[in-house]
Amino acid sequence: QALPPDFDSARSYSRRGRTTFERCGAELGKSYELRSASWPLVIDVSDVTAFAARRLPTTPDDFDKILEERDFTSGADKEEVKKLYRKMATGVLGSIKKLDYQGLPVEASDTPGQAFNEWDSPEKLAKALNLCQSLRVLNLRHCRLTDKGTADMAKALDADALPSLIEFNIRNRYGADGVRELCEAFGRGVGRNTVHLMIGDALGD
């Protein structure tokens, strides 16, 4: 079926404001994968592979910045979408009780000045966790967190982050430096009610 003559092929799914809102909204408060499922949890029909990886939640502040680079038919729509997303993201992240990101690559650049993945960086994870006031269980096992990635995440966590957290699994690829950064974060008051903490090097995983 032929596309209409006025179709703008440059305005792809990822470049449109409304579709950016739809995808970021769908990724709020979701686990990375279903252990028993044999299909991807996100399907991008505009991609030849039909697969788009699950990404970390986007905070309202980051969404506002992203939306400045997206296309809208009307400028008024952009501001309305920002307000709607802020209300939805604050509500979802503030009430979610369990997040399972086991296996999701959360990687930082080890080269100064080199850009990192804006959708799945350690800083992005921390900013989302800062809004998770009701979160009780967090699984970050096998997320490829190195010493630097763990440090970036720990330093970006607010001093009062994760006040309801009970169980935290963060076994990854970091070593003594990563453990030290996590301990300093907990010393600042992060996860002050945590009871079960699975921490340490998982290079063999």
Side-chain angles (χ1 to χ4, degrees), residues 105-118:
V106 181
E107 298 177 285
S109 169
D110 290 323
T111 304
Q114 180 177 322
F116 52 77
N117 181 348
E118 66 170 325

Side-chain angles (χ1 to χ4, degrees), residues 30-33 35 98-102 137-139:
K30 299 292 184 179
S31 292
Y32 176 51
E33 63 181 6
R35 300 284 186 267
K98 180 178 180 180
L99 284 175
D100 186 350
Y101 292 135
Q102 179 168 325
V137 178
L138 176 60
N139 185 3

Side-chain angles (χ1 to χ4, degrees), residues 8 18 35 37 42 49 62-65 75 97 103-104 111 121 135-136 154 157 159 164 166 181 184 188-189 197:
D8 184 359
R18 290 284 181 178
R35 300 284 186 267
V42 179
T49 65
D62 281 348
F63 183 79
D64 287 351
K65 296 175 184 176
K97 290 182 170 55
L104 190 156
T111 304
S121 71
L135 191 66
R136 296 177 62 83
L157 287 169
S164 303
I166 301 297
E181 293 290 347
E184 289 181 3
R188 297 197 314 270
L197 177 61

